[in-house]
Amino acid sequence: MTTRITPETRRALELSSDEAGRSMSQQAELLLIKALHGSDGSLRHLEGVLEAVLTTARRLSLAEHGAGTRDSAFVYFGVIKALEWAQEALPTPKDDTRFKEVVALDEEMDRLRQLRENQKVGRRLDARTEEERLADLPSDEIEKLDRDLIALFDRRQVALASIKFAKNHADQAARDVLSEVAP
C-alpha cells in the first residue's frame, strides 16, 4: 500500500516508530489497526492499564539503576505484580454472554461495596453476646457485608473458572501473535 502524507505526519510517524522500536510500516499498520478497531474507546481502558504497567516497570528499573527484568529479581517480581494488578483492573466483557454471571456478580459486589461505604460512619464496637460469638454471627452490618462480599467473590471465581474455553482460545491466539512479534 502506498499513500501520501504530509511532512509533519511523516515526522510524527518516524518519532512514534523510533520510540516503539518498530519500522515505520509496522507502526503505521499498528496505528491503522488501532484506529479501525479501537476508535470506539473499547481499548482505551486497556491502553491506560498497560501504560500503568509500563510506568511501574520503568520506575522499578530506575530504582535498580536501569536494570531490567533479566537483570534484577526486584524488577522482575515488581513487573509480575503490576501485571497481576492489570488482570484485576481490566473490566469484564459485559457484552459477551459467557460472562453474564460474572457481570451480575460484579454489579452485586459494587452494590455491596457502596452499602459498606455508607455504613462506615455508624460502625459500632463488637457488642455481641457470647452465644452470638460462638454462633459466628457478624458483629455489625459492615461485617455482614464483608462476609457477603467474600461469598460473592468466591462465586465470581467459580464463574470465571467455567469460562476456560474462551481463555484457552485467547491464550493460543496471544501466543500466535507473540511468536510473530517477539524479539
Side-chain angles (χ1 to χ4, degrees):
M1 176 181 100
T2 59
T3 184
R4 293 181 190 188
I5 57 176
T6 65
E8 295 82 21
T9 302
R10 181 177 175 86
R11 281 192 292 277
L13 182 58
E14 287 173 343
L15 179 63
S16 176
S17 62
D18 287 345
E19 287 176 356
R22 296 183 188 91
S23 70
M24 282 181 46
S25 293
Q26 290 170 327
Q27 187 67 4
E29 180 181 14
L30 180 67
L31 293 172
L32 279 171
I33 289 170
K34 278 184 177 181
L36 293 171
H37 299 291
S39 62
D40 63 353
S42 63
L43 294 179
R44 207 160 285 143
H45 184 78
L46 174 62
E47 290 170 349
V49 169
L50 293 176
E51 185 61 36
V53 171
L54 186 58
T55 299
T56 301
R58 286 182 181 136
R59 287 184 178 178
L60 292 168
S61 177
L62 284 173
E64 288 286 294
H65 310 292
T69 56
R70 293 180 184 178
D71 310 318
S72 166
F74 173 77
V75 175
Y76 175 82
F77 287 115
V79 171
I80 294 295
K81 182 51 87 181
L83 290 170
E84 288 171 358
W85 167 84
Q87 182 179 0
E88 300 277 328
L90 289 176
T92 306
K94 293 183 177 190
D95 294 335
D96 189 328
T97 57
R98 292 170 288 201
F99 284 87
K100 183 179 179 181
E101 183 180 359
V102 175
V103 169
L105 290 167
D106 284 347
E107 289 170 356
E108 180 64 10
M109 289 171 70
D110 287 343
R111 187 184 73 75
L112 290 179
R113 284 186 186 109
Q114 187 60 48
L115 283 172
R116 187 184 186 291
E117 190 63 32
N118 295 341
Q119 292 285 330
K120 274 187 177 178
V121 177
R123 187 135 201 205
R124 65 181 173 92
L125 296 175
D126 188 354
R128 293 181 294 176
T129 64
E130 189 62 30
E131 293 82 30
E132 289 171 329
R133 278 193 193 86
L134 291 173
D136 196 30
L137 296 174
S139 63
D140 63 4
E141 187 61 26
I142 290 181
E143 186 177 344
K144 181 185 177 312
L145 290 169
D146 286 344
R147 290 179 183 195
D148 291 345
L149 277 167
I150 290 167
L152 284 172
F153 183 76
D154 289 342
R155 285 180 49 207
R156 183 182 189 277
Q157 293 303 99
V158 169
L160 282 174
S162 69
I163 307 169
K164 194 170 189 172
F165 174 77
K167 180 187 178 303
N168 289 341
H169 184 69
D171 286 349
Q172 184 58 51
R175 278 193 295 274
D176 292 345
V177 170
L178 287 171
S179 69
E180 294 173 9
V181 298

